[in-house]
Amino acid sequence: MHPGMSPVEEMLRAAAPIESVALAIARDAYPRLQPETYLRRLDAMAQPLAERFATPGGVNPGDRLRTFVDYVYDELGFTGNADDYYDPRNSYLNDVIDRRTGIPITLAVVLIALGRRVGLTLRGVGFPGHFIVRIERSAVPGAATFVDPFNRGEILEREDLLDIVRRVLGDRADLAPEQLEPVGNRSMAVRMLFNLQNLHQRRGDHAGALVACDRLCELADAPFHRRDRGVHALALGAVAAAVDDLETYLEQAPDAPDRDRIEVMLARASMRAPAASN
C-alpha cells in the first residue's frame, strides 16, 4: 500500500472492480475482513447461472436479463431492506452478502459484480434520489435497460423513471439524458461513504461518521467534507484537528452560507484548545 493512502483509494487507483472498492470501505468497520473470502463467495453465487448461460440452448439471449434478475432475487434471495433502511449494515458489502439485504447502491454493487461474472455489462447510475442500474444491450448500440436494485430488479420504463425524478425534483421536472448516464467507481464510492456518514450521524455515532468523512476528504475535494469531518472531530474532543478542518473549510468556501455557524464553533473550539493540549 502507498504510504498514507487508504485501501479505498488504492483500489480506485488500481481500477479494481466496484465490489473490491466496496469491500475496502467495509474494512473500516471490520478490520479483520478478508475481501478475498467475499470475492470467492460472489464467484460461487454466479457460477450456476454462468454455466446455465454457457450451455447451448440453455437460455435465449433475449431472456438473459430477466433470468439474471430472477436468479439474484428469487434464487439467491437478495432484497431491499425496507424494514430497517437506515441500518449501517445495509451499506457494508460484506453484511449485504451475508444478510442478502441492503440499500439501492449496495444491491447495485451486487448486481454489477454478479452480472460481470455471467457475461452481462451492468453500470451504476446515480439517478436523482435513487441509485439504479443500467444494463447495456450490445445488440442495439446506445440502447440500455434500467432496473431498480432495491425493488427486486424491477424493470424501469420511462414513466417509472420520470415518476422518481418528479418525486425528488418536483412535478414539472423532466428526464435529462445525463441523469441516465453511468457513473464511475469513484462516484459510487463517494456516494456509499456519504450514505455511511449520514447513517452514523442519525445514530449519534460521531466516530463512525468521522471515519467516513476521512475517506470522503481523500476521495473528493468538496470543501464541505472538511467541514463535516471537523464537526465530528470536535464532538469527539479532537480539538486541534477540528480547528484545522473548520478553518480550511472557511478558507476554501469563503462565501459558505453556514459561515456564521462555523465561526461560532471555531470560537468555542479555540476556548477548549488550551485544556486539550495539557
Side-chain angles (χ1 to χ4, degrees):
M1 180 181 294
H2 189 282
M5 187 183 298
S6 75
V8 180
E9 182 66 22
E10 286 276 355
M11 290 294 102
L12 290 170
R13 293 199 182 191
I18 189 58
E19 62 269 28
S20 294
V21 176
L23 289 167
I25 290 172
R27 288 182 65 189
D28 281 329
Y30 299 95
R32 296 184 180 180
L33 186 150
Q34 297 295 320
E36 297 79 9
T37 299
Y38 285 90
L39 295 176
R40 287 194 294 269
R41 288 181 63 182
L42 289 168
D43 291 341
M45 287 179 187
Q47 187 62 29
L49 186 60
E51 292 175 356
R52 204 181 307 173
F53 281 179
T55 301
V59 179
N60 185 297
D63 296 331
R64 289 193 173 188
L65 173 57
R66 187 71 263 168
T67 301
F68 170 72
V69 168
D70 290 345
Y71 178 77
V72 172
Y73 292 95
D74 294 339
E75 296 189 43
L76 295 180
F78 283 95
T79 187
N81 192 346
D83 293 333
D84 197 0
Y85 190 91
Y86 298 105
D87 185 338
R89 291 177 296 177
N90 295 327
S91 291
Y92 294 119
L93 185 59
N94 58 313
D95 281 323
V96 173
I97 292 172
D98 286 341
R99 302 168 70 229
R100 306 294 171 100
T101 189
I103 57 175
I105 193 165
T106 46
L107 291 170
V109 171
V110 171
L111 288 176
I112 293 167
L114 294 176
R116 188 176 64 255
R117 286 165 168 78
V118 302
L120 296 176
T121 303
L122 286 77
R123 303 284 299 279
V125 175
F127 203 62
H130 195 76
F131 203 87
I132 62 175
V133 172
R134 170 180 173 138
I135 295 93
E136 307 295 349
R137 289 184 284 168
S138 57
V140 185
T145 298
F146 299 92
V147 303
D148 183 347
F150 191 72
N151 292 306
R152 302 185 62 79
E154 174 189 1
I155 304 296
L156 297 169
E157 305 294 344
R158 187 182 188 282
E159 294 75 15
D160 302 314
L161 296 167
L162 187 58
D163 182 57
I164 295 171
V165 166
R166 289 181 173 172
R167 287 202 304 267
V168 175
L169 302 180
D171 293 340
R172 295 189 178 183
D174 202 353
L175 280 176
E178 59 269 20
Q179 292 171 338
L180 299 173
E181 288 300 309
V183 297
N185 286 358
R186 184 172 295 270
S187 292
M188 288 186 68
V190 167
R191 189 154 174 165
M192 282 187 276
L193 286 162
F194 196 59
N195 284 342
L196 276 167
Q197 177 191 331
N198 289 329
L199 292 169
H200 288 304
Q201 284 176 184
R202 287 175 64 94
R203 294 176 169 236
D205 179 4
H206 294 290
L210 181 64
V211 171
C213 288
D214 266 339
R215 299 291 171 253
L216 286 165
C217 287
E218 182 182 32
L219 269 56
D221 58 4
F224 69 87
H225 293 312
R226 291 293 295 268
R227 176 202 64 197
D228 293 348
R229 186 171 68 177
V231 169
H232 291 296
L234 191 59
L236 291 166
V239 179
V243 169
D244 181 62
D245 274 338
L246 296 176
E247 288 181 342
T248 300
Y249 167 65
L250 293 181
E251 290 170 4
Q252 295 179 345
D255 299 321
D258 59 353
R259 185 178 188 89
D260 290 346
R261 180 176 71 90
I262 299 303
E263 286 179 340
V264 169
M265 294 182 70
L266 274 168
R268 291 174 178 170
S270 297
M271 294 174 63
R272 294 170 56 185
S277 62
N278 289 338

